[in-house]
Amino acid sequence: MTPPLPDAVAAARIELRQLRYFVSLAEELHFGRAAAREHIVQSALSQQVQRLERTLGVLLVHRTTRHIELTPAGARFLLEARQILEHVDRAAGLAQGLTSTPPVLRVGLLDEGYEAARPVLRALRARHPELELHQVQVGVPEQCRMIADGRLDVGIGRSCAAPAQIASELFRLDPLGVLVADDHRLARLPVVPVTALAGEPLLLPDESRAPELAEFVGEICRTAGFVPAAHRDTVQNLRAAVDLVASGRCLMCAPASTAELAAPARWRPLAPAVPRYPWSVMWRAERPSREAKAFVAIARELSRGQGWRDPRAPQVDLAS
């Protein structure tokens, strides 16, 4: 790699097409798909990315025969490259007298069935009707990766394992309960002792998508003196999990924010008092977007106003 040019000289030699090709490659992480997306041959895209790297004097992409990934410099450059392209597109639209592009917020959610963040999203839409909102169903580990490289603006979930470049703030403590079939013996109880779950087949969250939720449930069971008996079936979303529970095949520990979508299964709170599931909002620590800041501000405001973070707040009675 040649020594880096002075900043002004390097910036003057960067072409917009190189930025677009790099962004496409960073999002696809595959030269063939990125080239097809840009309607050019793969060799041309590769050459332009290499020229961009030579101009900057840094390696942006690690290449192997089977895999490519962004370098730390590439991840940092991606954030700025996206903003540059967005500004150019906006400027071109204004010059042509076109309506300006609406602001966009991309939110990562574990599953649409978890209602913890819905009040925040509704308040955001009410206060910022101009905002274009994109919701992506993805687990917390992938949320963190997507926030770090600019594919998401904010994420929602348990942030205990978030990397240093991800900022987070707890906004809601969600009472934990258990989903049971309507005719299960535990469905007759208004409150289910945690110890009653010992020996019951528990559908645990997919470790690849929600390791933080699986760990949380496991910690509660072990604290009660038993190891959860994991049900062998796996599902990819809450709706499928509810169907499996309703069939009588298993039980599932779930926060109260799932209760409204539990039918035909039933949600019952756990007792004695168990830790409440901590929902946090996550965002990029360095130079977050204005839209991300607006989301965080509303989450913070609702959390305080509704008492969502108060562990002494009574559990919502959703057992009927």
Side-chain angles (χ1 to χ4, degrees):
M1 189 68 65
T2 58
L5 296 170
D7 291 346
V9 178
R13 294 183 58 182
I14 293 175
E15 301 179 18
L16 285 179
R17 63 172 177 169
Q18 292 173 340
L19 294 183
R20 295 189 189 278
Y21 295 166
F22 169 70
V23 169
S24 291
L25 179 60
E27 292 177 348
E28 299 291 344
L29 292 178
H30 189 279
F31 278 99
R33 290 195 298 268
R37 174 171 157 180
E38 294 297 331
H39 306 289
I40 61 174
V41 297
Q42 183 173 326
S43 59
L45 184 138
S46 179
Q47 290 171 5
Q48 290 300 324
V49 171
Q50 289 175 351
R51 289 177 183 174
L52 178 61
E53 290 176 319
R54 288 196 296 270
T55 298
L56 294 172
V58 296
L59 192 67
L60 300 175
V61 180
H62 279 307
R63 304 163 175 83
T64 69
T65 55
R66 295 185 178 181
H67 179 71
I68 69 169
E69 63 180 9
L70 295 182
T71 65
R76 293 192 296 270
F77 187 70
L78 176 61
L79 300 176
E80 302 297 330
R82 279 202 180 104
Q83 291 187 17
I84 291 170
L85 293 175
E86 289 172 0
H87 289 163
V88 169
D89 290 343
R90 188 178 302 116
L94 290 172
Q96 296 165 0
L98 303 177
T99 303
S100 60
T101 304
V104 174
L105 180 71
R106 296 156 295 183
V107 181
L109 302 170
L110 180 59
D111 190 290
E112 63 180 4
Y114 294 95
E115 293 288 312
R118 294 297 169 190
V120 182
L121 294 170
R122 286 193 290 269
L124 186 73
R125 288 192 183 97
R127 298 187 193 181
H128 300 279
E130 78 288 355
L131 191 61
E132 191 174 294
L133 188 60
H134 297 284
Q135 300 176 49
V136 181
Q137 292 186 43
V138 62
V140 170
E142 184 63 18
Q143 284 184 32
C144 290
R145 287 189 285 270
M146 295 176 72
I147 293 171
D149 67 22
R151 288 178 290 162
L152 283 179
D153 299 295
V154 297
I156 302 294
R158 188 185 183 203
S159 63
C160 57
Q165 65 265 40
I166 304 298
S168 66
E169 182 172 323
L170 175 68
F171 74 94
R172 190 163 190 168
L173 293 170
D174 203 353
L176 195 73
V178 61
L179 294 173
V180 299
D182 185 59
D183 58 354
H184 193 279
R185 63 182 179 85
L186 296 179
R188 297 191 294 271
L189 301 178
V191 177
V192 175
V194 176
T195 53
L197 304 181
E200 292 282 355
L202 283 180
L203 179 63
L204 298 174
D206 188 341
E207 287 277 1
S208 65
R209 295 189 70 249
E212 71 291 336
L213 183 52
E215 180 184 5
F216 188 79
V217 172
E219 288 171 355
I220 289 172
C221 293
R222 288 188 292 272
T223 299
F226 67 95
V227 175
H231 184 65
R232 291 186 177 182
D233 290 357
T234 61
V235 295
Q236 292 298 310
N237 56 63
L238 185 61
R239 183 68 264 170
V242 168
D243 290 343
L244 194 60
V245 170
S247 71
R249 301 281 299 279
C250 60
L251 311 183
M252 179 182 175
C253 290
S257 58
T258 65
E260 293 185 2
L261 297 179
R266 291 180 178 268
W267 184 86
R268 293 290 184 263
L270 289 170
V274 297
R276 299 179 178 226
Y277 192 75
W279 294 103
S280 292
V281 56
M282 297 171 285
W283 67 95
R284 191 167 58 251
E286 185 177 345
R287 299 186 64 182
S289 68
R290 286 175 295 182
E291 293 73 29
K293 292 178 181 178
F295 186 95
V296 173
I298 291 175
R300 184 180 296 139
E301 177 185 328
L302 290 179
S303 178
R304 291 171 179 168
Q306 301 294 327
W308 285 344
R309 290 181 53 178
D310 186 357
R312 300 166 300 175
Q315 294 199 11
V316 180
D317 183 9
L318 295 170
S320 59

